[in-house]
Amino acid sequence: MTRRAPSPTLQPGDTVGILGGGQLGRMLSLAAASLGLRTHIYCPDEDCPASHVSARFTQAAYDDEKALKDFAAAVDVVTYEFENVPVDAVAVLEAAGATVRPGAMALEKAQDRLVEKQFVRSLGVATADFHGVDDLAALEQGLKEVGRPAILKTRRLGYDGKGQTRLTDPDIDLHASFEKAVAYAWAEVGAAPSILEAFVPFEREISIIGARAADGDIRLYDPIENVHASGILKTSTAPARVAPETRAEAEQATVAILKALDYAGVIGVEFFVLPGGAVVVNEMAPRVHNSGHLTADACAVSQFEQHIRAVAGWPLGDPARHSDAVMENLIGDEVGKWRDIVREANAALHLYGKGEARPGRKMGHVTRLTST
Ligand code: AMP
C-alpha cells in the first residue's frame, strides 16, 4: 500500500474545512482555534452548533457541486464530523483539488454495516455472526443461521439505536407465529437492505479512541467503558475495567483498522467484551467519538485536538490521561441539570448550543474528574 505523502502541513492561521456542523464539529472547531487554526463548516442545516464557533459557515446541500467546489477552494484541508457524508461529495472535493482526511475509503467502509463487518473480518478481527438481508426470505434464512436472539439493523444511516429491531423468542410468541414476527421486524427496518446480527451476550462495552498521523504514526487513548440506554450512549468511564489481554486485543484490532484504511485522523472503535475477556468489534466511527469526549478534560491533548493535529499534518500529541473520568451525556430534558452541574467541583460542563431539547437529542455532556 502506498503511504500518503505527509502534505499538506497546515500553518497557524490556515483553515480546516469540516463537513457536518453538529456538536462534534463544534468541539473540533474549538480545538482548532486553540491551535491557531480556523475552521470552515459545511452543513445543510442553518444555525448548526458548529457554526456558532467557527470562522466561516457554508449552508449548502451535500450534492451542491458549486458550493462544494467553492468550499474546496476556501480551505487548506477537509475533514468530516459524521460518517454519513455522501462519498460523492468527497469525490467532488477531491476532484477540485482538496485533500480529504480521513479519505473516502474510511467513509465507504463505515457507512454500510455489512461492508464494515466484512472489512473487519477480512483483517482477522472478530465480529458478531451476521447475515446480509435484502428480503423476507433472506431474513428467515439469516435467523436460522445466526440463531435467536438476533438484531436486525439497516445497513445504512442507522445511529444511536435507530433503524434497529430485536428478534427474540418472546417477540415471536407475541406475534403468534415465526412468520408474523419476521414480517413485523422487516417492516420495522422499513424493508431496507439490512444486516442480521447474532445478539452478543457481552459482559461490557468498551471503545478505543485511536489516532493515525498523516505520516503513519499511531497513538491510542486508554480503553473507555461505555453504558448505553435505548441504544444511546449514557456514560463513558476511564479507566475501563478490562484485563491487560483484553486491552491488548482491542488495541491490536484498532491498529489493524487504522493501517488497513491508510487512515489520517481520529477513529472510534466500539467493542463488546465477552465473559472470557475476548473482544468483538461492534462498529467503527471514522471521526471523533462520543465516548472520547472525556479526553477533553482528562488528557492534555483531547481527541478533538488529536484529530485536528492529524488532519493538519502535525505530529500527534500524548494521549496519556492525567485523571480518571466519567462522562455523562445530557440527553433531551436532562440538559436542565446544567444549573446544578455548574455548582459541582471537578465537573466540566459542555453544552452544544442546540435549541430544542427533543427526546433522544444529545444536548450536552458533563465530565466528572477524579484523580488517577
Ligand atoms: P449500534 O448502533 O450498532 O452501536 O448499537 C447500539 C447498541 O445496541 C450497542 O452499543 C449495544 O449496546 C447494542 N447492540 C448492538 N448490536 C448488538 C449485538 N449484536 N449484540 C448485543 N447488543 C448489541
Side-chain angles (χ1 to χ4, degrees):
M1 188 175 290
T2 51
R3 170 142 307 169
R4 184 189 295 108
S7 66
T9 299
L10 273 60
Q11 301 298 310
D14 286 348
T15 300
V16 179
I18 302 177
L19 298 169
Q23 65 267 20
L24 302 180
R26 179 182 177 100
M27 292 183 272
L28 285 168
S29 292
L30 294 169
S34 290
L35 299 177
L37 296 162
R38 294 161 189 260
T39 54
H40 183 160
I41 301 299
Y42 188 109
C43 178
D45 308 323
E46 65 173 348
D47 194 38
C48 58
S51 69
H52 305 170
V53 300
S54 55
R56 285 190 66 189
F57 171 40
T58 296
Q59 186 193 347
Y62 290 120
D63 61 1
D64 183 337
E65 282 204 24
K66 162 88 172 63
L68 285 168
K69 284 179 185 158
D70 290 347
F71 178 67
V75 303
D76 299 292
V77 71
V78 175
T79 188
Y80 41 86
E81 60 108 57
F82 80 130
E83 60 272 35
N84 290 320
V85 169
V87 173
D88 288 350
V90 170
V92 171
L93 292 168
E94 285 179 336
T99 300
V100 182
R101 290 175 173 155
M105 194 191 346
L107 278 182
E108 279 163 7
K109 302 288 187 215
Q111 281 180 352
D112 182 321
R113 290 182 190 273
L114 182 60
V115 172
E116 179 182 47
K117 287 224 163 40
Q118 287 164 340
F119 165 70
V120 170
R121 283 267 181 107
S122 76
L123 303 175
V125 174
T127 67
D129 285 340
F130 62 89
H131 188 90
V133 170
D134 285 328
D135 53 33
L136 259 179
L139 178 52
E140 289 188 9
Q141 181 59 30
L143 274 168
K144 286 182 191 137
E145 283 177 26
V146 309
R148 298 196 296 262
I151 304 187
L152 183 65
K153 303 178 179 179
T154 54
R155 284 172 63 170
R156 290 181 168 272
L157 300 175
Y159 67 98
D160 284 351
K162 296 190 175 79
Q164 298 191 10
T165 186
R166 294 189 178 199
L167 273 150
T168 62
D169 287 332
D171 286 333
I172 290 169
D173 291 343
L174 199 69
H175 290 280
S177 78
F178 178 74
E179 287 71 25
K180 279 191 186 155
V182 171
Y184 180 81
W186 185 231
E188 280 278 279
V189 296
S194 295
I195 177 172
L196 184 73
E197 292 179 20
F199 187 83
V200 179
F202 59 82
E203 196 171 74
R204 54 180 54 101
E205 294 185 75
I206 62 166
S207 52
I208 300 277
I209 307 298
R212 187 167 180 267
D215 69 1
D217 183 30
I218 290 178
R219 305 285 173 99
L220 307 177
Y221 289 88
D222 285 344
I224 295 163
E225 183 166 339
N226 302 313
V227 175
H228 292 82
S230 310
I232 305 180
L233 182 66
K234 188 59 208 153
T235 62
S236 291
T237 302
R241 292 167 296 166
V242 286
E245 303 76 41
T246 298
R247 176 184 181 138
E249 209 186 307
E251 289 179 344
Q252 280 161 18
T254 305
V255 168
I257 290 169
L258 286 168
K259 286 184 177 168
L261 295 173
D262 192 21
Y263 202 84
V266 163
I267 199 169
V269 185
E270 294 180 32
F271 300 87
F272 298 130
V273 182
L274 304 179
V279 296
V280 304
V281 168
N282 174 32
E283 62 179 359
M284 58 187 196
R287 53 169 168 77
V288 287
H289 192 254
N290 194 167
S291 68
H293 289 3
L294 58 79
T295 62
D297 303 297
C299 305
V301 175
S302 71
Q303 64 164 350
F304 306 103
E305 176 175 335
Q306 198 76 301
H307 185 75
I308 294 294
R309 284 176 177 235
V311 303
W314 291 14
L316 297 179
D318 180 3
R321 203 161 36 74
H322 54 67
S323 301
D324 290 351
V326 181
M327 188 279 319
E328 179 191 347
N329 270 334
L330 301 173
I331 298 164
D333 287 346
E334 289 168 358
V335 69
K337 292 188 197 172
W338 73 266
R339 292 182 185 82
D340 296 322
I341 294 169
V342 284
R343 295 176 202 285
E344 268 183 56
N346 296 314
L349 176 68
H350 302 261
L351 298 179
Y352 305 151
K354 294 183 183 177
E356 199 192 338
R358 292 193 293 271
R361 194 174 195 204
K362 291 174 179 167
M363 302 298 292
H365 70 269
V366 54
T367 300
R368 297 184 171 92
L369 299 177
T370 50
S371 53
T372 47

